[in-house]
């Protein structure tokens, strides 16, 4: 009987400990939205970097901002309807290649940005989820040739609670980092 | 014969007393063991609760921490280590209450500053070109102590606790508005330096206002 009582106390204590790290639904929703917002930021940055009308200095500034969205060592996949393999590039190289694409006009649009795997708390205290996006790419070369494709991409998202001291105040903030971007489908 | 009977009765009584006494003694021992176990449990539980408050990385609000402290105190542990942890938590809560008070005492947003900043944000977000947005950014930066002035963005509020996006600077934030072509936040709080320039800006998501 006593053993049973002690077991119940131990289970209750464990439940209290594990429950401490769970966010309220309202806070979780805010964190979910923040991560989606970072993916939308990336979408906008890619569009600016790829756009041939963007001044060189602006494109470089935006590349810096875009790089900051990623965790170190992340890779971005590139596919084509003309080949079956997918090439993966380190983030900086991907953006440099994007800026230097051999087209006269480039339009990149992301749509249907949504979670396919919700942010889940990991044992290391980070939240990890996967957001899927569709990218519509259109490039027109100097001789008028047009290339278009639509790719489905899965983006791993890491969210971590951090703290910093600002003006004597301790500020708790959510650090969102994007991981690898994997191409899962390519079509015309 | 009677004497033998009396002696036998006394003997039985002594045996009964002895048995009873040793039974009481073992029951008392058991009770003491149980009390020691409960005490150890309470000490462990108190420490666990108090350490969870001290090691919190900003997930818990001050009110939640106060509630947990009450739970730990209710366990009535007189263990010196627990008492020391309670003192540390009380000190931490005192600091948090003072910081919250200081925030409440901070200068509330001057409606004129709020309007001019809000207009600046909207104009940058809707600028027709990057160069016209850059002109507005240059002009807008003159309202701040420096381009590195801190900008905090509240993404959610629950009780006395704010959740923030990663802190940024005003220069980066104004460029962000230009890049995103949208102004998703509004003014929550403004701090000014001695020269009247904005030294810290706190924004809040329009969606949670």
């Amino acid at each position: 009987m006593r053993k049973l009582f002690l077991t119940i106390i131990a289970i209750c204590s464990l439940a209290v400990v594990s429950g401490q790290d769970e966010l309220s639904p309202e806070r979780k929703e805010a964190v979910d939205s923040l991560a989606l917002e970072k993916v939308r930021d990336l979408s906008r940055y890619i569009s600016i970097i790829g756009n041939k009308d963007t001044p060189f200095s602006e494109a470089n500034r935006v590349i810096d901002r875009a790089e900051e969205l990623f965790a170190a060592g992340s890779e971005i996949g590139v596919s084509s309807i003309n080949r079956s393999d997918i090439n993966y590039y380190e983030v900086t190289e991907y953006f440099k290649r994007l800026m230097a694409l051999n087209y006269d006009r480039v339009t990149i649009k992301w749509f249907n940005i949504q979670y396919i795997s919700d942010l889940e708390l990991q044992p290391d205290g980070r939240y990890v989820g996967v957001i899927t996006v569709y990218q519509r790419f259109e490039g027109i070369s100097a001789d008028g040739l047009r290339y278009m494709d639509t790719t489905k991409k899965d983006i791993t998202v890491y969210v971590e609670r951090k703290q910093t001291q600002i003006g004597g105040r301790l500020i708790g903030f959510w650090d969102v980092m994007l991981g690898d971007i994997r191409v899962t489908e390519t079509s015309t | 014969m009677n004497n033998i009977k009396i002696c036998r009765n006394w003997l039985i009584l002594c045996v009964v007393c002895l048995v009873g006494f040793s039974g009481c003694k073992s029951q008392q021992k058991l009770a003491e063991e149980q009390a020691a176990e409960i005490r150890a449990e309470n000490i462990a539980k108190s420490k666990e609760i108090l350490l969870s408050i001290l090691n919190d990385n900003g997930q818990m609000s001050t009110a939640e921490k106060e509630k947990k402290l009450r739970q730990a105190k209710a366990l009535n542990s007189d263990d010196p280590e627990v008492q020391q942890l309670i003192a540390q938590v009380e000190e931490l809560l005192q600091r948090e209450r003072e910081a919250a008070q200081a925030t409440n005492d901070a200068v509330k947003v001057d409606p004129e500053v709020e309007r001019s900043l809000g207009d600046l944000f909207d104009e940058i977000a809707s600028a027709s070109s990057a160069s016209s947005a850059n002109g507005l950014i240059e002009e807008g930066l003159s309202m701040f102590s420096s381009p590195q002035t801190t900008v905090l963005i509240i993404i959610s509020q629950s009780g006395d606790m704010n959740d923030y996006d990663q802190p940024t600077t005003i220069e980066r934030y104004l460029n962000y508005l230009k890049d995103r072509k949208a102004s998703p936040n509004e003014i929550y709080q403004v701090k000014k330096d001695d020269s009247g320039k904005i030294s810290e800006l706190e924004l809040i998501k329009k969606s949670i206002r």
Side-chain angles (χ1 to χ4, degrees):
Chain A
M1 188 66 184
R2 211 173 65 210
K3 273 188 178 169
L4 180 69
F5 177 67
L6 290 175
T7 311
I8 291 169
I9 285 182
I11 291 169
C12 290
S13 305
L14 271 177
V16 167
V17 171
S18 63
Q20 279 168 7
D21 294 326
E22 292 298 333
L23 291 173
S24 67
E26 295 77 20
R27 291 181 72 198
K28 176 72 170 29
E29 197 183 322
V31 174
D32 287 346
S33 301
L34 182 67
L36 275 176
E37 205 56 30
K38 299 293 175 187
V39 172
R40 290 195 189 100
D41 291 348
L42 176 65
S43 149
R44 185 73 197 125
Y45 293 152
I46 284 179
S47 173
I48 294 170
I49 296 164
N51 189 341
K52 295 292 172 193
D53 295 333
T54 305
F56 184 73
S57 60
E58 279 290 300
N60 275 312
R61 181 188 58 78
V62 175
I63 285 177
D64 288 344
R65 291 292 86 76
E67 279 175 6
E68 286 166 6
L69 290 173
F70 286 88
S74 299
E75 291 183 331
I76 301 177
V78 176
S79 63
S80 166
I81 48 172
N82 299 324
R83 61 170 201 269
S84 57
D85 57 329
I86 297 164
N87 296 330
Y88 282 89
Y89 298 100
E90 186 267 321
V91 170
T92 308
E93 193 186 348
Y94 171 84
F95 289 126
K96 299 278 182 204
R97 291 176 68 94
L98 176 63
M99 191 165 72
L101 280 176
N102 198 18
Y103 290 105
D104 253 25
R105 265 180 44 209
V106 172
T107 314
I108 302 169
K109 277 188 184 145
W110 282 19
F111 57 98
N112 284 357
I113 300 172
Q114 57 189 321
Y115 281 95
I116 50 161
S117 173
D118 286 342
L119 287 175
E120 295 284 351
L121 183 61
Q122 305 299 304
D124 64 2
R126 288 193 302 180
Y127 285 82
V128 180
V130 179
I131 291 173
T132 188
V133 303
Y134 285 86
Q135 175 182 282
R136 182 75 182 151
F137 176 94
E138 187 177 349
I140 302 170
S141 61
D143 53 6
L145 282 176
R146 184 187 297 253
Y147 172 86
M148 284 189 295
D149 71 19
T150 302
T151 46
K152 185 176 173 229
K153 296 164 185 257
D154 288 346
I155 307 172
T156 309
V157 183
Y158 304 93
V159 185
E160 194 176 353
R161 177 86 180 166
K162 291 187 176 173
Q163 282 187 320
T164 185
Q165 192 101 23
I166 290 173
R169 266 199 301 163
L170 201 58
I171 301 292
F173 68 92
W174 291 98
D175 188 21
V176 180
M177 285 295 205
L178 306 182
D180 292 339
I181 300 185
R182 302 262 151 207
V183 177
T184 54
E185 279 174 35
T186 305
S187 58
T188 51
Chain B
M1 194 64 179
N2 270 349
N3 280 346
I4 292 171
K5 258 188 179 174
I6 290 167
C7 278
R8 200 186 61 196
N9 287 345
W10 272 109
L11 192 65
I12 291 169
L13 190 64
C14 284
V15 169
V16 167
C17 282
L18 271 173
V19 170
F21 180 71
S22 67
C24 277
K25 204 176 167 187
S26 66
Q27 267 186 352
Q28 193 184 341
K29 201 177 168 192
L30 188 68
E32 278 172 7
E33 277 175 10
Q34 280 181 334
E37 267 180 31
I38 289 170
R39 187 172 175 275
E41 284 285 332
N42 284 346
I43 290 173
K45 209 171 169 188
S46 302
K47 282 183 186 172
E48 194 179 276
I49 293 170
L50 295 165
L51 285 172
S52 75
I53 300 171
L54 291 170
N55 295 331
D56 174 59
N57 64 351
Q59 308 257 19
M60 263 186 263
S61 66
T62 306
E64 283 170 320
K65 287 176 189 169
E66 282 168 342
K67 192 179 164 191
K68 282 186 175 293
L69 175 62
R70 283 196 295 276
Q71 283 172 359
K73 280 181 168 176
L75 292 169
N76 280 326
S77 174
D78 54 359
D79 178 71
E81 212 178 317
V82 170
Q83 290 303 316
Q84 202 180 351
L85 288 172
I86 286 175
Q88 283 178 31
V89 169
E90 280 175 339
E91 207 175 299
L92 172 83
L93 289 174
Q94 183 59 27
R95 281 201 306 272
E96 286 190 6
R97 281 186 217 107
E98 283 169 8
Q101 188 57 44
T103 305
N104 289 338
D105 293 345
V107 182
K108 293 291 171 198
V109 186
D110 174 351
E112 203 175 312
V113 172
E114 186 173 7
R115 201 167 36 248
S116 59
L117 272 181
D119 288 349
L120 173 70
F121 293 170
D122 290 341
E123 282 168 23
I124 291 171
S126 59
S128 56
S129 67
S131 60
S132 66
N134 286 340
L136 289 164
I137 290 171
E138 199 65 38
E139 203 180 301
L141 284 174
S142 63
M143 296 168 72
F144 295 84
S145 299
S146 89
Q148 303 311 310
T149 297
T150 303
V151 178
L152 298 171
I153 303 165
I154 300 170
I155 61 159
S156 90
Q157 288 187 306
S158 73
D160 58 350
M161 185 170 173
N162 291 337
D163 275 319
Y164 292 90
D165 190 355
Q166 186 171 34
T168 185
T169 65
I170 188 61
E171 187 176 34
R172 283 183 174 215
Y173 184 70
L174 297 181
N175 274 298
Y176 172 80
L177 298 178
K178 174 181 71 178
D179 297 336
R180 281 299 306 265
K181 292 191 172 295
S183 179
N185 308 304
E186 58 187 50
I187 322 300
Y188 184 71
Q189 200 164 271
V190 171
K191 283 184 190 166
K192 287 187 176 179
D193 61 17
D194 294 340
S195 59
K197 294 200 170 187
I198 298 167
S199 58
E200 191 182 305
L201 178 63
E202 203 164 332
L203 306 174
I204 187 165
K205 289 261 172 221
K206 283 178 181 168
S207 53
I208 62 164
R209 252 308 208 200

